[in-house]
Amino acid sequence: MIELVVEDAGESMQSAVDHTRREFSSVRTGRASSSLLERLTVEAYGVEMRIQELASFSVPEARLLIVTPHDAANLNAIEKAITNSNMGLTPSNDGRVIRLGFPPLTEERRRELSKVVGAMSEDGKQRVNAVRRAARKNLDELDSDGGVSKDEIQRAEGRLDALKNAHVAMIDQAQANKQQELMEV
């Protein structure tokens, strides 16, 4: 049972790290990337849909993203969603595709985005800590039920702490990489 609790905690912590990395990819670095629009929803056909379901993306240049709707009738809805997303992008369309030019980031904007990445990192660390707390609670329940020695519980708690530290270090490394990417001119 102890092994199961520790394994589940490790998998959940890895999920938290993966989620944090995906969040980091949504932060604009001055280079065009379709991952910036992945979480964007568009009102189409009377329902909210993810932009990937309505369009395809291409990056012909480092600072240009082209969004090609599968149905030209959704062009204006996609353009409106991008404009309302507060990403600092100004879409332009030619009736068939939407072009998104990525201006170079100012020093002030880079610092703001660095703070956003820091907040995302803290959120990820809180998720990892929450997983550890839940696993410790499960271990305490096993301890109170009996049949498991105090030494085994302490060793498992030590393994949980080591897992937590390793996953927090992964988040810290991903944060450092993203902040370095943001500060590149």
Side-chain angles (χ1 to χ4, degrees):
M1 273 313 269
I2 290 176
E3 196 61 38
L4 198 62
V5 169
V6 173
E7 279 182 32
D8 285 348
E11 290 172 10
S12 296
M13 287 179 188
Q14 186 59 48
S15 294
V17 170
D18 294 342
H19 174 78
T20 302
R21 287 182 177 148
R22 280 192 305 275
E23 289 286 309
F24 288 167
S25 71
S26 70
V27 176
R28 184 164 84 91
T29 59
R31 283 181 252 154
S33 171
S34 62
S35 64
L36 297 173
L37 301 177
E38 282 180 357
R39 296 179 15 207
L40 195 61
T41 58
V42 179
E43 175 82 27
Y45 308 115
V47 295
E48 290 285 321
M49 298 179 73
R50 296 178 63 180
I51 195 166
Q52 298 101 307
E53 298 169 352
L54 298 171
S56 59
F57 308 98
S58 63
V59 183
E61 302 173 18
R63 297 197 183 275
L64 181 66
L65 176 65
I66 295 180
V67 180
T68 308
H70 302 305
D71 181 358
N74 293 323
L75 185 77
N76 291 331
I78 293 171
E79 187 174 18
K80 181 180 176 184
I82 292 169
T83 302
N84 293 340
S85 68
N86 294 327
M87 282 192 270
L89 299 173
T90 306
S92 64
N93 81 60
D94 63 3
R96 291 183 315 221
V97 298
I98 298 171
R99 287 181 173 72
L100 297 169
F102 288 72
L105 296 174
T106 64
E107 187 67 26
E108 180 181 335
R109 183 70 175 142
R110 289 176 193 275
R111 291 186 198 286
E112 287 174 20
L113 290 175
S114 184
K115 288 178 185 176
V116 168
V117 167
M120 290 175 176
S121 175
E122 283 304 311
D123 183 50
K125 291 176 189 177
Q126 287 175 359
R127 289 173 191 256
V128 169
N129 282 325
V131 169
R132 188 194 70 186
R133 275 192 305 276
R136 279 201 159 176
K137 183 178 176 188
N138 290 341
L139 289 175
D140 289 344
E141 289 172 5
L142 287 175
D143 186 27
S144 65
D145 290 346
V148 179
S149 73
K150 294 274 187 200
D151 289 341
E152 288 179 280
I153 295 294
Q154 284 182 330
R155 278 193 295 274
E157 287 177 350
R159 287 176 51 204
L160 277 176
D161 288 342
L163 271 174
K164 181 207 74 135
N165 292 338
H167 286 87
V168 165
M170 287 181 205
I171 290 173
D172 286 339
Q173 183 61 48
Q175 176 187 4
N177 292 344
K178 186 63 175 187
Q179 287 179 326
Q180 179 181 358
E181 186 182 327
L182 281 169
M183 292 304 176
E184 286 176 3
V185 178

